[in-house]
Amino acid sequence: MTNLPHRPRRNRKSQVIRDLVQETHVTTSDLIFPIFLTSGFNKKIEVSSMPGIFRFSLDFLLDEINECKSLGINTFDLFPHYQESKKDKFAKESYNEEGMYLNAIKEIKRNFPDVCLMTDVAMDPYSSDGHDGLVDNGKILNDETLEILGKMSLAQAKAGADILGPSDMMDGRVGYIRNVLDENGFTETSIMSYTAKYASAFYGPFRDALDSAPKTGDKKTYQMNPANSREALLEAGLDAAEGADFLMVKPALAYLDIIKLLKDNFTLPIAAYHVSGEYAMIKAAAQNGWLDGTSAMNESLLCIKRAGADVILTYFAKEFASNLKQI
Ligand code: PBG
């Protein structure tokens, strides 16, 4: 036998030892479950590019939240799907207090006061242009958009949102929203900033889910270039200074270096959004028998956490939690 003082395989020789030395664990309490709301009653419509993910009408959505709670999921990120007829240039429906989204926030918090409810701040679900900001002659206006985001944020905070998620990537929005919230007494409402949100092809299925794809152009004048990482530090510095409570990186798996970069340079909690396309890829391959879907899910979530994410937004939250319950 060779005399080898270091044999790293000794710490892998049994499941018990592997468990003893495991450095990273994913638990259900690390996860935020994104959920899609649609109008009407009795509706549960599967998103064709996201098997197992549905748009729910409010009645069914409340049942879904109840079921998820029993699995240990306590944080949800709510996104609205609006008919084209509710959309306009200024996304006015986004702060209509009688509207579907704000009403759903109130109802969710009335039924489940202890749920942590995150909401989405951006114009795209309500915009006839399908952009996250106000469009003028093909340009996305920054400061004019902030005013709309401010109204939307205040309305969501009033409805009872616990965490606001500005996903729009306008400059200065975290500070602007923090200011509007504080001036109106909502000092306890948190902001999870989409800090390093890249112009990514992996958002495709989400845009199917909300019918929210841009009508013209793309999102490259506001979302970041996937080639850049120093720019993520610039964005994170601004968001931290402007009062963000969490810094998010999006997408997750192709951006693990960015998650690590922000984790190493900032003390705020880091979130990663494991996006729709990342979910769809695993589901599609699993449905074809090309991958073991459960193992690919577990490995993806584990590696996102290992890279430095404290919090993971993932469409796998319910499946992950129900698998854990069964063990
Ligand atoms: C838009 C928004 C997007 C996502 C969350 N908020 C898509 C986009 O920027 O076009 C993507 C989420 C996902 O793909 O799961 N404000």
Side-chain angles (χ1 to χ4, degrees):
M1 283 291 179
T2 324
N3 187 354
L4 262 184
H6 298 292
R7 288 182 184 268
R9 287 187 53 197
R10 277 198 288 268
N11 281 346
R12 298 180 206 134
K13 73 182 163 200
S14 71
Q15 188 61 47
V16 174
I17 290 184
R18 290 193 292 274
D19 287 348
L20 273 178
V21 301
Q22 179 159 335
E23 299 172 35
T24 307
H25 296 270
V26 178
T27 62
T28 303
S29 56
D30 300 322
L31 307 180
I32 299 180
F33 192 24
I35 43 176
F36 299 125
L37 169 74
T38 194
S39 59
F41 296 96
N42 264 311
K43 283 199 209 150
K44 178 178 178 179
I45 305 156
E46 193 165 39
V47 180
S48 54
S49 48
M50 301 177 75
I53 295 296
F54 302 85
R55 295 171 186 162
F56 294 100
S57 55
L58 180 59
D59 49 341
F60 278 16
L61 189 80
L62 293 172
D63 294 344
E64 172 76 356
I65 291 176
N66 202 23
E67 202 181 314
C68 289
K69 278 193 75 216
S70 68
L71 297 170
I73 301 170
N74 292 306
T75 309
F76 299 87
D77 188 5
L78 183 65
F79 291 96
H81 167 257
Y82 277 101
Q83 317 299 112
E84 212 51 44
S85 60
K86 293 277 180 196
K87 301 183 184 184
D88 65 27
K89 231 182 150 36
F90 300 94
K92 287 203 280 295
E93 185 64 22
S94 66
Y95 47 89
N96 169 10
E97 295 196 7
E98 309 305 316
M100 171 185 77
Y101 190 61
L102 295 170
N103 176 53
I105 296 168
K106 286 182 218 150
E107 282 301 306
I108 292 169
K109 289 299 292 187
R110 195 171 64 80
N111 283 272
F112 308 106
D114 54 342
V115 145
C116 178
L117 186 60
M118 175 167 165
T119 53
D120 187 60
V121 178
M123 288 175 64
D124 53 321
Y126 322 89
S127 155
S128 45
D129 293 306
H131 273 287
D132 295 25
L134 189 58
V135 183
D136 183 34
N137 253 326
K139 283 210 154 150
I140 313 297
L141 304 180
N142 195 86
D143 300 14
E144 292 79 353
T145 299
L146 295 184
E147 287 175 35
I148 298 168
L149 299 178
K151 286 186 195 170
M152 197 184 300
S153 298
L154 182 57
Q156 292 177 3
K158 276 188 187 160
D162 297 289
I163 303 177
L164 304 187
S167 64
D168 57 286
M169 289 302 278
M170 296 301 120
D171 290 336
R173 90 277 206 210
V174 172
Y176 189 95
I177 293 169
R178 186 70 270 157
N179 196 38
V180 169
L181 293 174
D182 288 356
E183 277 185 347
N184 287 278
F186 291 97
T187 53
E188 303 256 287
T189 308
S190 312
I191 300 177
M192 180 183 291
S193 177
Y194 286 60
T195 293
K197 178 174 180 179
Y198 287 88
S200 172
F202 293 107
Y203 307 150
F206 175 95
R207 295 177 189 170
D208 295 343
L210 297 193
D211 287 327
S212 64
K215 302 278 163 47
T216 53
D218 54 39
K219 299 193 175 186
K220 290 181 185 167
T221 69
Y222 45 108
Q223 298 180 349
M224 286 173 53
N225 181 345
N228 297 354
S229 65
R230 278 159 46 80
E231 197 180 347
L233 285 175
L234 171 67
E235 287 284 2
L238 291 169
D239 285 358
E242 290 174 33
D245 300 288
F246 301 80
L247 303 176
M248 187 209 288
V249 175
K250 180 184 182 186
L253 273 190
Y255 298 82
L256 295 183
D257 58 325
I258 310 297
I259 296 173
K260 171 94 168 93
L261 186 67
L262 296 198
K263 180 73 164 203
D264 288 345
N265 285 282
F266 292 87
T267 49
L268 288 168
I270 305 299
Y273 201 138
H274 187 219
V275 301
S276 56
E278 302 180 82
Y279 175 85
M281 286 194 298
I282 293 179
K283 283 287 170 195
Q287 281 185 347
N288 274 294
W290 296 341
L291 270 183
D292 174 342
T294 303
S295 300
M297 164 184 78
N298 288 336
E299 184 178 331
S300 299
L301 296 176
L302 186 66
C303 295
I304 294 167
K305 181 123 190 239
R306 187 206 62 227
D310 301 288
V311 175
I312 306 171
L313 294 99
T314 179
Y315 301 97
F316 280 117
K318 189 177 178 192
E319 189 175 334
F320 178 85
S322 50
N323 287 354
L324 273 192
K325 281 269 165 175
Q326 281 159 20
I327 292 167

